[in-house]
Amino acid sequence: MTEPTDTPFVRMATAFIDQANAFSREAGQDVVATALLHAAARYVAFATAAGAETGADFASERNEAIEHFTAQFRDVVTQHYDDYAGNFKAYLGRD
């Protein structure tokens, strides 16, 4: 099944990647990747806190939330790493 390519999710992801590419021209890809990871972690903590009824509820969900988001990150990194491994020459123009 083909996934839609023009959804709010895809548009946001594309905008983040476009901005990361712009930043990498001045800061380098490793710095940009680390900054994106930091920003994602910070936003995940904020979004989870914003969705909690109380601070105690938020605190009690800590381990479950961390496990959920790290598992998602691991899955997505694995998918994209495998995609780049299979398409290295097409994507980067070198062997």
Side-chain angles (χ1 to χ4, degrees):
M1 181 164 93
T2 304
E3 293 185 27
T5 57
D6 188 26
T7 65
F9 175 85
V10 171
R11 286 192 298 272
M12 284 185 281
T14 300
F16 289 135
I17 292 167
D18 289 345
Q19 185 63 59
N21 287 334
F23 283 145
S24 71
R25 289 184 206 106
E26 56 190 70
Q29 293 164 336
D30 289 344
V31 172
V32 173
T34 302
L36 279 170
L37 185 60
H38 177 84
R42 180 81 177 166
Y43 195 82
V44 161
F46 159 73
T48 305
E53 290 291 322
T54 67
D57 289 343
F58 172 68
S60 73
E61 297 167 0
R62 178 186 184 275
N63 292 342
E64 184 179 336
I66 290 170
E67 180 57 35
H68 169 74
F69 286 108
T70 56
Q72 278 191 318
F73 184 77
R74 183 177 295 110
D75 289 346
V76 174
V77 168
T78 299
Q79 290 170 17
H80 288 289
Y81 199 97
D82 292 348
D83 180 42
Y84 266 80
N87 295 287
F88 191 89
K89 187 170 186 171
Y91 289 169
L92 298 174
R94 62 183 193 267
D95 290 325

Coordinates of all heavy atoms in Angstrom, one line a residue:
M1 N 0.8 -1.2 0.0 CA 0.0 0.0 0.0 C 0.9 1.2 0.0 O 1.8 1.4 0.8 CB -0.9 0.0 1.2 CG -1.8 1.2 1.3 SD -3.2 0.9 2.5 CE -2.5 1.6 3.9
T2 N 0.6 2.2 -0.8 CA 1.3 3.4 -0.9 C 0.8 4.4 0.1 O -0.5 4.6 0.2 CB 1.2 4.0 -2.3 OG1 1.7 3.0 -3.3 CG2 2.0 5.3 -2.5
E3 N 1.7 5.1 0.8 CA 1.2 6.1 1.8 C 1.1 7.4 1.0 O 1.8 7.7 0.1 CB 2.3 6.2 2.9 CG 2.3 5.0 3.7 CD 3.3 5.2 4.9 OE1 3.5 6.3 5.4 OE2 3.8 4.1 5.3
P4 N 0.1 8.2 1.5 CA -0.1 9.6 0.9 C 1.2 10.4 1.1 O 1.9 10.3 2.2 CB -1.2 10.2 1.7 CG -1.8 9.1 2.5 CD -0.8 8.0 2.6
T5 N 1.6 11.2 0.1 CA 2.8 12.0 0.2 C 2.5 13.5 0.5 O 3.4 14.2 0.7 CB 3.6 11.9 -1.1 OG1 2.8 12.3 -2.2 CG2 4.1 10.5 -1.3
D6 N 1.2 13.9 0.5 CA 0.9 15.2 0.8 C -0.1 15.3 2.0 O -1.3 15.6 1.8 CB 0.2 15.9 -0.5 CG 0.1 17.4 -0.3 OD1 0.8 18.0 0.5 OD2 -0.8 18.0 -0.9
T7 N 0.5 15.1 3.1 CA -0.3 15.1 4.4 C 0.4 16.1 5.3 O 1.6 16.5 5.0 CB -0.3 13.8 5.1 OG1 1.0 13.4 5.5 CG2 -0.9 12.7 4.2
P8 N -0.3 16.6 6.3 CA 0.4 17.5 7.2 C 1.7 16.9 7.8 O 2.7 17.6 7.9 CB -0.6 17.8 8.3 CG -2.0 17.6 7.6 CD -1.7 16.5 6.6
F9 N 1.6 15.6 8.1 CA 2.8 14.9 8.7 C 4.0 15.0 7.7 O 5.1 15.4 8.1 CB 2.5 13.5 9.0 CG 3.7 12.7 9.4 CD1 4.1 12.7 10.8 CD2 4.4 11.9 8.5 CE1 5.1 11.9 11.2 CE2 5.5 11.2 8.9 CZ 5.9 11.2 10.3
V10 N 3.8 14.7 6.4 CA 4.8 14.7 5.4 C 5.3 16.1 5.2 O 6.5 16.3 5.1 CB 4.4 14.0 4.1 CG1 5.4 14.2 3.0 CG2 4.1 12.5 4.4
R11 N 4.4 17.1 5.1 CA 4.8 18.5 4.9 C 5.7 19.0 6.1 O 6.7 19.6 5.8 CB 3.6 19.3 4.7 CG 2.9 19.2 3.3 CD 1.9 20.2 3.0 NE 0.8 20.2 3.9 CZ -0.3 19.5 3.8 NH1 -0.5 18.7 2.8 NH2 -1.3 19.6 4.7
M12 N 5.3 18.6 7.3 CA 6.1 19.0 8.4 C 7.5 18.4 8.4 O 8.5 19.0 8.6 CB 5.4 18.7 9.8 CG 4.3 19.6 10.1 SD 3.6 19.3 11.7 CE 2.6 17.8 11.4
A13 N 7.5 17.0 8.2 CA 8.8 16.3 8.1 C 9.7 16.9 7.0 O 10.9 17.2 7.2 CB 8.6 14.9 7.9
T14 N 9.1 17.2 5.9 CA 9.9 17.8 4.8 C 10.4 19.2 5.1 O 11.6 19.5 4.9 CB 9.0 17.9 3.5 OG1 8.6 16.6 3.1 CG2 9.8 18.5 2.3
A15 N 9.6 20.0 5.8 CA 10.1 21.3 6.2 C 11.2 21.2 7.3 O 12.2 22.0 7.2 CB 8.9 22.1 6.8
F16 N 11.1 20.3 8.2 CA 12.2 20.1 9.1 C 13.5 19.7 8.4 O 14.6 20.2 8.7 CB 11.8 19.0 10.2 CG 10.8 19.5 11.2 CD1 9.7 18.6 11.5 CD2 10.8 20.7 11.8 CE1 8.8 19.0 12.4 CE2 9.9 21.1 12.7 CZ 8.8 20.2 13.0
I17 N 13.4 18.8 7.5 CA 14.6 18.3 6.7 C 15.1 19.4 5.9 O 16.4 19.6 5.8 CB 14.2 17.1 5.8 CG1 13.9 15.9 6.7 CG2 15.3 16.8 4.8 CD1 13.3 14.7 6.0
D18 N 14.3 20.2 5.2 CA 14.8 21.4 4.5 C 15.5 22.4 5.4 O 16.6 22.9 5.0 CB 13.6 22.1 3.8 CG 13.0 21.3 2.6 OD1 13.6 20.3 2.2 OD2 11.9 21.7 2.2
Q19 N 15.0 22.6 6.5 CA 15.6 23.5 7.5 C 17.0 22.9 8.0 O 18.0 23.6 8.1 CB 14.7 23.9 8.7 CG 15.3 24.9 9.6 CD 15.5 26.2 8.9 OE1 14.6 26.9 8.4 NE2 16.8 26.7 8.9
A20 N 17.0 21.6 8.2 CA 18.2 21.0 8.7 C 19.3 21.1 7.6 O 20.4 21.3 7.9 CB 17.9 19.5 9.0
N21 N 18.9 20.9 6.3 CA 19.8 21.0 5.2 C 20.4 22.4 5.1 O 21.6 22.6 4.9 CB 19.2 20.6 3.9 CG 19.0 19.1 3.8 OD1 19.7 18.3 4.4 ND2 18.0 18.7 3.0
A22 N 19.6 23.4 5.4 CA 20.1 24.8 5.4 C 21.0 25.0 6.5 O 22.1 25.6 6.3 CB 18.9 25.7 5.4
F23 N 20.7 24.5 7.7 CA 21.6 24.7 8.8 C 22.9 23.9 8.6 O 24.0 24.4 9.1 CB 20.9 24.1 10.1 CG 19.9 25.0 10.7 CD1 18.8 24.5 11.4 CD2 20.1 26.4 10.7 CE1 17.9 25.3 11.9 CE2 19.1 27.3 11.3 CZ 18.0 26.7 11.9
S24 N 22.9 22.8 7.9 CA 24.1 22.0 7.8 C 25.1 22.7 6.9 O 26.3 22.4 7.0 CB 23.8 20.6 7.2 OG 23.4 20.7 5.9
R25 N 24.7 23.7 6.1 CA 25.7 24.4 5.3 C 26.6 25.2 6.2 O 27.7 25.5 5.8 CB 24.9 25.3 4.3 CG 24.3 24.5 3.2 CD 23.6 25.4 2.2 NE 22.5 24.7 1.5 CZ 21.3 24.9 1.8 NH1 20.9 25.9 2.6 NH2 20.4 24.2 1.2
E26 N 26.1 25.6 7.4 CA 27.0 26.4 8.2 C 27.5 25.7 9.5 O 28.5 26.0 10.0 CB 26.2 27.7 8.7 CG 24.9 27.4 9.4 CD 24.0 28.6 9.6 OE1 23.5 29.2 8.6 OE2 23.9 29.0 10.8
A27 N 26.8 24.6 9.9 CA 27.2 24.0 11.1 C 27.6 22.5 10.9 O 28.2 22.0 11.8 CB 26.0 24.0 12.1
G28 N 27.4 21.9 9.8 CA 27.8 20.5 9.6 C 26.7 19.6 10.0 O 25.9 19.8 10.9
Q29 N 26.6 18.5 9.3 CA 25.5 17.5 9.5 C 25.5 16.9 10.9 O 24.4 16.6 11.4 CB 25.6 16.5 8.4 CG 25.3 17.1 7.0 CD 25.7 16.2 5.9 OE1 26.6 15.3 6.0 NE2 25.1 16.4 4.7
D30 N 26.7 16.6 11.5 CA 26.7 16.0 12.8 C 26.1 16.9 13.8 O 25.3 16.5 14.7 CB 28.1 15.6 13.2 CG 28.6 14.4 12.4 OD1 27.8 13.7 11.8 OD2 29.8 14.1 12.5
V31 N 26.4 18.2 13.7 CA 25.9 19.2 14.7 C 24.4 19.3 14.5 O 23.6 19.4 15.5 CB 26.6 20.6 14.5 CG1 25.9 21.6 15.3 CG2 28.1 20.4 14.9
V32 N 23.9 19.4 13.2 CA 22.5 19.5 12.9 C 21.8 18.3 13.4 O 20.7 18.4 14.0 CB 22.3 19.8 11.4 CG1 20.8 19.8 11.1 CG2 22.9 21.1 11.0
A33 N 22.3 17.1 13.2 CA 21.6 15.9 13.6 C 21.4 15.9 15.2 O 20.4 15.5 15.7 CB 22.4 14.7 13.2
T34 N 22.5 16.3 15.9 CA 22.4 16.4 17.3 C 21.4 17.4 17.8 O 20.7 17.2 18.7 CB 23.8 16.6 17.9 OG1 24.7 15.6 17.5 CG2 23.8 16.6 19.4
A35 N 21.4 18.6 17.1 CA 20.4 19.6 17.5 C 19.0 19.1 17.2 O 18.1 19.4 18.1 CB 20.7 20.9 16.7
L36 N 18.8 18.4 16.1 CA 17.4 17.9 15.9 C 17.0 16.9 16.9 O 15.9 16.9 17.4 CB 17.4 17.3 14.5 CG 17.2 18.2 13.3 CD1 17.4 17.4 12.0 CD2 15.8 18.8 13.3
L37 N 17.9 16.0 17.3 CA 17.6 15.0 18.3 C 17.3 15.7 19.7 O 16.3 15.4 20.3 CB 18.8 14.1 18.5 CG 18.6 12.9 19.4 CD1 17.5 12.0 19.0 CD2 19.9 12.1 19.5
H38 N 18.1 16.7 20.0 CA 17.8 17.5 21.2 C 16.4 18.2 21.2 O 15.6 18.1 22.1 CB 18.9 18.5 21.5 CG 18.7 19.4 22.6 ND1 19.0 19.0 23.9 CD2 18.1 20.6 22.8 CE1 18.7 20.0 24.8 NE2 18.1 21.0 24.1
A39 N 16.2 18.8 20.0 CA 14.9 19.5 19.9 C 13.7 18.5 19.9 O 12.7 18.8 20.6 CB 14.9 20.3 18.5
A40 N 13.8 17.4 19.3 CA 12.8 16.4 19.3 C 12.5 15.9 20.7 O 11.4 15.8 21.2 CB 13.1 15.2 18.4
A41 N 13.6 15.6 21.5 CA 13.5 15.2 22.9 C 12.8 16.2 23.7 O 11.9 15.9 24.5 CB 14.8 14.8 23.4
R42 N 13.2 17.5 23.5 CA 12.6 18.6 24.3 C 11.1 18.7 24.0 O 10.3 18.9 24.8 CB 13.3 19.9 24.0 CG 12.8 21.1 24.7 CD 13.4 21.2 26.1 NE 12.9 22.4 26.7 CZ 13.0 22.6 28.0 NH1 13.6 21.7 28.8 NH2 12.6 23.7 28.5
Y43 N 10.7 18.6 22.7 CA 9.3 18.8 22.3 C 8.5 17.6 22.8 O 7.4 17.7 23.2 CB 9.2 18.9 20.8 CG 7.8 19.4 20.4 CD1 7.5 20.8 20.5 CD2 6.8 18.5 20.1 CE1 6.2 21.2 20.3 CE2 5.5 19.0 19.9 CZ 5.2 20.3 20.0 OH 4.0 20.7 19.7
V44 N 9.1 16.4 22.7 CA 8.4 15.2 23.3 C 8.0 15.4 24.7 O 6.9 15.1 25.2 CB 9.2 13.9 23.0 CG1 8.7 12.8 23.9 CG2 9.1 13.5 21.6
A45 N 9.0 15.9 25.5 CA 8.8 16.1 26.9 C 7.7 17.2 27.1 O 6.8 17.0 27.9 CB 10.0 16.5 27.6
F46 N 7.7 18.2 26.3 CA 6.7 19.3 26.4 C 5.3 18.7 26.0 O 4.3 18.9 26.8 CB 7.1 20.5 25.5 CG 5.9 21.3 25.1 CD1 5.3 22.1 26.1 CD2 5.3 21.2 23.9 CE1 4.2 22.9 25.8 CE2 4.2 21.9 23.6 CZ 3.6 22.8 24.5
A47 N 5.2 18.0 24.9 CA 3.9 17.5 24.4 C 3.3 16.5 25.4 O 2.1 16.5 25.7 CB 4.1 16.9 23.0
T48 N 4.2 15.7 26.0 CA 3.7 14.7 27.0 C 3.2 15.5 28.2 O 2.2 15.1 28.8 CB 4.8 13.7 27.3 OG1 5.2 13.1 26.1 CG2 4.3 12.6 28.2
A49 N 4.0 16.4 28.7 CA 3.6 17.2 29.8 C 2.3 18.0 29.6 O 1.4 18.0 30.4 CB 4.7 18.2 30.2
A50 N 2.2 18.6 28.4 CA 1.0 19.3 28.1 C -0.3 18.4 28.0 O -1.4 18.9 28.3 CB 1.1 20.0 26.7
G51 N -0.1 17.2 27.7 CA -1.2 16.2 27.7 C -1.6 15.6 29.0 O -2.6 14.9 29.1
A52 N -0.8 15.8 30.0 CA -1.0 15.2 31.3 C -2.0 16.1 32.1 O -2.0 17.3 32.0 CB 0.3 15.1 32.1
E53 N -2.8 15.4 32.9 CA -3.7 16.2 33.8 C -3.0 16.9 34.9 O -3.3 18.0 35.3 CB -4.7 15.2 34.4 CG -5.7 14.7 33.4 CD -6.7 15.7 32.8 OE1 -7.1 16.6 33.6 OE2 -7.0 15.7 31.6
T54 N -2.0 16.3 35.5 CA -1.3 16.8 36.6 C 0.2 16.6 36.5 O 0.6 15.7 35.7 CB -1.7 16.3 38.0 OG1 -1.4 14.9 38.0 CG2 -3.3 16.4 38.2
G55 N 1.0 17.3 37.3 CA 2.4 17.0 37.3 C 2.7 15.6 37.8 O 3.7 15.0 37.3
A56 N 2.0 15.2 38.7 CA 2.1 13.8 39.3 C 1.8 12.8 38.2 O 2.6 11.8 38.1 CB 1.3 13.6 40.5
D57 N 0.8 13.0 37.4 CA 0.5 12.1 36.3 C 1.6 12.1 35.3 O 2.1 11.0 34.8 CB -0.8 12.5 35.5 CG -2.0 12.3 36.3 OD1 -2.0 11.5 37.3 OD2 -3.1 12.8 36.0
F58 N 2.1 13.2 35.0 CA 3.3 13.3 34.0 C 4.5 12.6 34.5 O 5.1 11.8 33.8 CB 3.6 14.8 33.8 CG 4.9 15.0 33.0 CD1 4.9 14.7 31.7 CD2 6.0 15.6 33.6 CE1 6.1 14.9 30.9 CE2 7.2 15.8 32.9 CZ 7.2 15.4 31.5
A59 N 4.8 12.8 35.8 CA 5.9 12.1 36.4 C 5.8 10.6 36.4 O 6.7 9.8 36.1 CB 6.2 12.6 37.8
S60 N 4.5 10.1 36.7 CA 4.3 8.7 36.7 C 4.4 8.0 35.4 O 4.6 6.8 35.3 CB 2.9 8.4 37.4 OG 1.9 8.7 36.5
E61 N 4.2 8.8 34.3 CA 4.3 8.2 32.9 C 5.7 8.3 32.3 O 5.9 7.8 31.2 CB 3.3 9.1 32.0 CG 1.9 9.0 32.4 CD 1.0 10.0 31.7 OE1 1.5 10.8 30.9 OE2 -0.2 10.0 32.0
R62 N 6.7 8.7 33.1 CA 8.0 9.0 32.6 C 8.6 7.7 31.9 O 9.0 7.8 30.7 CB 8.9 9.4 33.8 CG 10.4 9.6 33.4 CD 11.2 9.8 34.6 NE 12.6 10.1 34.2 CZ 13.5 9.2 34.0 NH1 13.2 7.9 34.1 NH2 14.8 9.5 33.7
N63 N 8.7 6.6 32.6 CA 9.4 5.5 32.0 C 8.6 4.9 30.8 O 9.2 4.6 29.7 CB 9.6 4.4 33.0 CG 10.6 4.7 34.1 OD1 11.4 5.7 33.9 ND2 10.5 4.1 35.2
E64 N 7.3 4.9 30.9 CA 6.5 4.4 29.7 C 6.6 5.3 28.5 O 6.8 4.9 27.4 CB 5.0 4.3 30.1 CG 4.1 3.8 29.1 CD 2.7 3.7 29.5 OE1 2.4 3.6 30.7 OE2 1.8 3.7 28.7
A65 N 6.6 6.6 28.7 CA 6.8 7.6 27.6 C 8.2 7.5 27.0 O 8.3 7.5 25.8 CB 6.5 9.0 28.1
I66 N 9.2 7.4 27.8 CA 10.5 7.3 27.3 C 10.7 6.0 26.5 O 11.2 6.0 25.4 CB 11.6 7.4 28.4 CG1 11.6 8.8 29.0 CG2 13.0 6.9 28.0 CD1 12.4 8.9 30.3
E67 N 10.2 4.9 27.0 CA 10.3 3.7 26.2 C 9.5 3.8 24.9 O 10.0 3.3 23.9 CB 9.7 2.5 27.1 CG 9.7 1.2 26.4 CD 11.1 0.7 25.9 OE1 12.1 1.0 26.6 OE2 11.2 0.1 24.8
H68 N 8.3 4.4 24.9 CA 7.5 4.5 23.7 C 8.2 5.3 22.7 O 8.3 4.9 21.5 CB 6.2 5.2 24.1 CG 5.4 5.6 22.9 ND1 4.7 4.7 22.1 CD2 5.2 6.9 22.4 CE1 4.1 5.4 21.1 NE2 4.4 6.7 21.3
F69 N 8.7 6.5 23.0 CA 9.4 7.4 22.1 C 10.7 6.8 21.6 O 11.1 7.0 20.4 CB 9.5 8.8 22.6 CG 8.1 9.5 22.6 CD1 7.5 9.8 23.7 CD2 7.5 9.8 21.4 CE1 6.2 10.4 23.8 CE2 6.3 10.5 21.4 CZ 5.7 10.7 22.5
T70 N 11.5 6.2 22.5 CA 12.8 5.6 22.0 C 12.5 4.4 21.1 O 13.3 4.3 20.1 CB 13.7 5.3 23.2 OG1 13.0 4.4 24.1 CG2 14.1 6.5 24.0
A71 N 11.5 3.7 21.4 CA 11.2 2.5 20.4 C 10.8 3.1 19.1 O 11.2 2.5 18.0 CB 10.1 1.7 21.1
Q72 N 10.0 4.1 19.1 CA 9.6 4.7 17.8 C 10.8 5.2 17.0 O 10.9 5.0 15.8 CB 8.6 5.9 18.0 CG 7.2 5.5 18.2 CD 6.3 6.7 18.1 OE1 6.6 7.8 18.7 NE2 5.2 6.6 17.5
F73 N 11.7 5.9 17.8 CA 12.9 6.5 17.1 C 13.7 5.3 16.6 O 14.2 5.4 15.4 CB 13.7 7.3 18.1 CG 14.9 8.0 17.5 CD1 14.8 9.1 16.7 CD2 16.2 7.4 17.7 CE1 15.9 9.7 16.2 CE2 17.3 8.0 17.2 CZ 17.1 9.1 16.4
R74 N 13.9 4.3 17.3 CA 14.7 3.2 16.9 C 14.1 2.6 15.6 O 14.8 2.3 14.6 CB 14.8 2.1 18.0 CG 15.7 0.9 17.6 CD 15.8 -0.1 18.7 NE 16.5 0.5 19.8 CZ 15.9 0.8 21.0 NH1 14.7 0.6 21.2 NH2 16.6 1.3 22.0
D75 N 12.8 2.4 15.6 CA 12.1 1.8 14.4 C 12.3 2.7 13.1 O 12.7 2.2 12.1 CB 10.7 1.7 14.6 CG 10.3 0.5 15.6 OD1 11.2 -0.3 15.9 OD2 9.2 0.5 16.1
V76 N 12.2 4.0 13.3 CA 12.3 5.0 12.2 C 13.7 5.1 11.7 O 14.0 5.1 10.5 CB 11.7 6.3 12.6 CG1 11.9 7.3 11.5 CG2 10.2 6.2 12.8
V77 N 14.7 5.1 12.6 CA 16.1 5.2 12.3 C 16.5 3.9 11.5 O 17.1 4.0 10.5 CB 17.0 5.4 13.5 CG1 18.5 5.1 13.1 CG2 16.9 6.8 14.0
T78 N 16.0 2.8 12.0 CA 16.3 1.5 11.3 C 15.7 1.5 9.9 O 16.4 1.1 8.9 CB 15.7 0.3 12.1 OG1 16.3 0.3 13.4 CG2 15.9 -1.0 11.4
Q79 N 14.5 2.0 9.7 CA 13.9 2.0 8.4 C 14.7 2.9 7.4 O 15.0 2.6 6.3 CB 12.4 2.5 8.5 CG 11.5 1.6 9.1 CD 10.1 2.3 9.4 OE1 9.8 3.3 8.8 NE2 9.3 1.7 10.2
H80 N 15.0 4.1 7.9 CA 15.8 5.1 7.0 C 17.2 4.6 6.8 O 17.7 4.8 5.7 CB 15.7 6.5 7.6 CG 14.3 7.0 7.5 ND1 13.8 7.4 6.3 CD2 13.3 7.3 8.4 CE1 12.5 7.9 6.5 NE2 12.3 7.8 7.8
Y81 N 17.8 4.0 7.8 CA 19.2 3.5 7.6 C 19.2 2.4 6.5 O 20.0 2.4 5.6 CB 19.7 3.0 8.9 CG 21.2 2.8 8.9 CD1 22.0 3.8 9.5 CD2 21.9 1.7 8.4 CE1 23.4 3.7 9.5 CE2 23.3 1.6 8.4 CZ 24.0 2.6 9.0 OH 25.4 2.5 9.0
D82 N 18.2 1.5 6.6 CA 18.1 0.4 5.6 C 17.8 1.0 4.2 O 18.4 0.5 3.2 CB 17.1 -0.6 6.0 CG 17.5 -1.4 7.2 OD1 18.6 -1.3 7.7 OD2 16.6 -2.0 7.8
D83 N 17.0 2.0 4.2 CA 16.7 2.7 2.9 C 17.9 3.3 2.3 O 18.2 3.1 1.1 CB 15.6 3.8 3.1 CG 15.2 4.5 1.8 OD1 15.1 3.8 0.8 OD2 15.1 5.7 1.9
Y84 N 18.7 4.0 3.1 CA 20.0 4.6 2.6 C 21.0 3.5 2.2 O 21.7 3.7 1.2 CB 20.6 5.6 3.6 CG 20.1 7.0 3.3 CD1 18.9 7.4 3.7 CD2 20.9 7.9 2.6 CE1 18.4 8.7 3.4 CE2 20.5 9.2 2.3 CZ 19.3 9.6 2.7 OH 18.8 10.8 2.4
A85 N 21.0 2.4 3.0 CA 22.0 1.3 2.6 C 21.6 0.7 1.3 O 22.5 0.4 0.5 CB 21.9 0.3 3.7
G86 N 20.3 0.6 1.0 CA 19.9 0.0 -0.3 C 19.9 1.0 -1.4 O 19.9 0.6 -2.6
N87 N 20.0 2.3 -1.1 CA 20.0 3.3 -2.2 C 21.1 4.3 -2.1 O 21.0 5.4 -2.6 CB 18.7 4.1 -2.1 CG 17.5 3.2 -2.4 OD1 17.2 2.8 -3.5 ND2 16.7 2.8 -1.3
F88 N 22.2 3.8 -1.5 CA 23.4 4.7 -1.2 C 23.8 5.5 -2.5 O 23.9 6.7 -2.4 CB 24.5 3.9 -0.6 CG 25.6 4.8 -0.1 CD1 25.6 5.2 1.2 CD2 26.7 5.2 -0.9 CE1 26.6 6.0 1.8 CE2 27.7 6.0 -0.4 CZ 27.6 6.4 1.0
K89 N 24.1 4.8 -3.5 CA 24.6 5.4 -4.7 C 23.5 6.4 -5.3 O 23.9 7.5 -5.7 CB 25.0 4.4 -5.8 CG 25.7 5.1 -7.0 CD 26.3 4.1 -7.9 CE 27.1 4.8 -9.0 NZ 27.9 3.9 -9.8
A90 N 22.3 6.0 -5.4 CA 21.2 6.8 -5.9 C 21.0 8.1 -5.1 O 20.8 9.2 -5.6 CB 19.9 6.0 -6.0
Y91 N 21.1 8.0 -3.8 CA 20.9 9.1 -2.9 C 22.1 10.0 -2.8 O 22.0 11.3 -2.7 CB 20.5 8.7 -1.5 CG 19.1 8.0 -1.4 CD1 18.8 7.4 -0.2 CD2 18.2 8.1 -2.4 CE1 17.5 6.8 0.0 CE2 17.0 7.5 -2.2 CZ 16.6 6.9 -1.1 OH 15.4 6.3 -0.9
L92 N 23.3 9.4 -2.8 CA 24.5 10.3 -2.5 C 25.4 10.4 -3.7 O 26.4 11.1 -3.7 CB 25.3 9.7 -1.3 CG 24.5 9.7 0.0 CD1 25.3 9.0 1.1 CD2 24.2 11.1 0.4
G93 N 25.2 9.6 -4.8 CA 26.0 9.8 -6.0 C 27.4 9.2 -5.9 O 28.2 9.5 -6.7
R94 N 27.6 8.3 -5.0 CA 28.9 7.6 -4.8 C 28.7 6.2 -4.3 O 27.7 5.9 -3.7 CB 29.8 8.4 -4.0 CG 29.4 8.6 -2.5 CD 30.4 9.5 -1.8 NE 30.2 9.5 -0.4 CZ 29.4 10.3 0.3 NH1 28.8 11.3 -0.3 NH2 29.2 10.2 1.6
D95 N 29.7 5.4 -4.5 CA 29.7 4.0 -4.0 C 30.0 3.9 -2.6 O 30.7 4.6 -2.0 CB 30.6 3.1 -4.8 CG 30.2 2.9 -6.3 OD1 29.0 2.9 -6.5 OD2 31.0 2.9 -7.1

